Amino acid sequence: LKGLILSGGKGTRLRPLTHTRAKQLLPVANRPILFYGIETLVDTGIKDLGIIVGDTRDEVRAAVGDGAAWGIKVTYIEQSAPLGLAHAVKTAQDFIGQDPFVMYLGDNLIWGGLRRFVQEFYETKANSLILLSPVEEPQNFGVAQLEKGKIVKLVEKPKDPPSNLALVGVYIFDHNIFKAVDRIKPSWRNELEITDAIQWLITNGYNVKPYSVTNWWKDTGKAEDILEANRMVLDEIKTDMSAGIHNHNSQLVGRVVVEEGVELTNSIIRGPAIIGAGSVIVNSCVGPYTSISRGVTIVNTEIEYSVIMEDCRIIDFPSRIRNSLVGGNTTLCRSTSRCKDINLVLGDNSQLFI
Ligand code: TTP
């Protein structure tokens, strides 16, 4: 079994952050989202992983390397342009060969692992197994219609959903998927859609099985999804202060992870929270549900439910920063006016004075 993680794409819904970085490398609890996906696949026993890359190839390569960090071999596969999930599959044909493979969208997070999903694929001897999850608003997702334990139809964002089972972004295919991707036509948005390829398999008599999970999962396509993923991952962290802290009169409440070289002065850190290496926090309240990346300076400011990326300076900020996603090297400072709570989505190198 091989793995295929899709880490190309356009990431338009995460602009401006994706003007300067790969969306799959945005941090959740101070680790790139992509690493969680890699670890989920490694946990199923996969040793041979292909990663589809596009414009952000160099950044993804620099972060993931050759896979040795996870004891696996990583092959990078260049997609000429982000022409759809099925186009990415087609691009990976030489790497996959005749082997079955797990396809995983690189901006997705799934809790609880995929071992049973993989086991089910082998036991049912299906041509394809599709991960599905019950959702409250199926009209916002790709939805599967089931009959007698098989998927008979997939519908994208249906007005009248045939079920509440949404496609999660994880699939197992055997080599027949390559016939399907060769036979389908681009959709109205000029992409080769994986749902059309799966529909082709169904229509042509291949065995496409559903596999439902109720575990938490998240497609982190938008800023609020990253903040939610950050909250979910921080909910699972255990206190770790083994790196040591320079603590001057500060309090750490609840579960907090502190990386090396952090300096805290007259501050309160409310867990769950993570404070990145070399960050300095003075006269401030940070957390709960907040990830501060490395090299961040926070002075006289309150921050909660937020993700602050590397090397930001947040000084005397007059409002409590809440539910905010702040790109690297951003400066947020006090100006003369006074405001209440604000919500921020700021790209790298932004400056905000309010
Ligand atoms: P999407 O989130 O569906 O697409 P996108 O990244 O282009 O984002 P947006 O809609 O905001 O413009 O992609 C899901 C995953 O698949 C994501 O990790 C990017 C990856 N992908 C590719 O690798 N190649 C592709 O051609 C496409 C469309 C997506």
Side-chain angles (χ1 to χ4, degrees), residues 115-340:
R115 283 187 198 190
R116 291 198 48 213
F117 175 62
V118 168
Q119 204 180 333
E120 179 85 0
F121 174 74
Y122 286 117
E123 282 169 12
T124 57
K125 300 193 169 68
N127 298 106
S128 170
L129 195 62
I130 311 288
L131 200 64
L132 300 172
S133 177
V135 290
E136 272 169 22
E137 293 179 343
Q139 53 280 3
N140 297 332
F141 296 86
V143 173
Q145 182 177 340
L146 307 187
E147 258 172 42
K148 297 186 189 131
K150 283 190 185 179
I151 299 180
V152 290
K153 199 171 176 206
L154 296 177
V155 243
E156 198 50 49
K157 301 197 174 74
K159 283 202 186 75
D160 189 12
S163 76
N164 67 342
L165 293 171
L167 275 76
V168 172
V170 185
Y171 322 76
I172 307 186
F173 297 115
D174 70 7
H175 62 276
N176 289 299
I177 192 67
F178 295 112
K179 287 185 205 151
V181 298
D182 275 342
R183 300 223 181 7
I184 59 170
K185 297 267 172 301
S187 63
W188 59 271
R189 55 176 180 174
N190 201 29
E191 289 189 9
L192 285 181
E193 308 286 350
I194 198 68
T195 43
D196 289 346
I198 298 168
Q199 189 65 54
W200 187 93
L201 289 176
I202 295 167
T203 310
N204 288 278
Y206 292 95
N207 187 3
V208 178
K209 289 249 182 202
Y211 184 87
S212 297
V213 280
T214 48
N215 293 341
W216 178 83
W217 63 279
K218 194 81 213 157
D219 164 5
T220 63
K222 302 190 294 297
E224 62 263 36
D225 302 323
I226 297 205
L227 293 171
E228 191 185 337
N230 185 60
R231 293 197 292 273
M232 299 305 293
V233 173
L234 286 180
D235 245 343
E236 303 288 322
I237 60 164
K238 295 195 176 64
T239 296
D240 183 358
M241 301 188 198
S242 55
I245 319 168
H246 305 281
N247 184 351
H248 317 284
N249 200 26
S250 295
Q251 250 181 295
L252 295 103
V253 186
R255 290 171 296 115
V256 178
V257 175
V258 180
E259 296 174 5
E260 66 280 356
V262 168
E263 247 183 79
L264 304 178
T265 306
N266 292 329
S267 294
I268 299 180
I269 311 296
R270 270 183 237 286
I274 179 163
I275 313 295
S279 288
V280 175
I281 301 178
V282 182
N283 293 335
S284 295
C285 291
V286 172
Y289 294 101
T290 297
S291 296
I292 307 291
S293 294
R294 66 186 148 72
V296 173
T297 302
I298 300 170
V299 181
N300 289 328
T301 299
E302 288 179 58
I303 304 179
E304 56 183 31
Y305 299 94
S306 293
V307 172
I308 310 294
M309 292 178 224
E310 69 286 344
D311 302 318
C312 286
R313 296 159 300 276
I314 306 181
I315 298 170
D316 298 335
F317 201 69
S319 304
R320 183 188 302 135
I321 296 173
R322 188 168 212 264
N323 278 342
S324 296
L325 185 55
V326 181
N329 197 31
T330 297
T331 302
L332 304 177
C333 285
R334 187 191 190 93
S335 155
T336 44
S337 72
R338 184 85 181 89
C339 310
K340 294 213 168 75

Side-chain angles (χ1 to χ4, degrees), residues 9-30:
K10 296 188 279 281
T12 47
R13 289 167 299 154
L14 267 162
R15 288 179 184 160
L17 295 163
T18 45
H19 285 311
T20 47
R21 61 175 87 205
K23 74 166 165 179
Q24 299 83 2
L25 297 181
L26 288 169
V28 164
N30 287 7

Side-chain angles (χ1 to χ4, degrees), residues 6-14 23-24 52 79 81-85 88 105-107 191 221:
L6 272 57
S7 193
K10 296 188 279 281
T12 47
R13 289 167 299 154
L14 267 162
K23 74 166 165 179
Q24 299 83 2
I52 295 281
Q79 191 182 9
L83 292 172
L85 306 186
L105 303 186
D107 57 348
E191 289 189 9

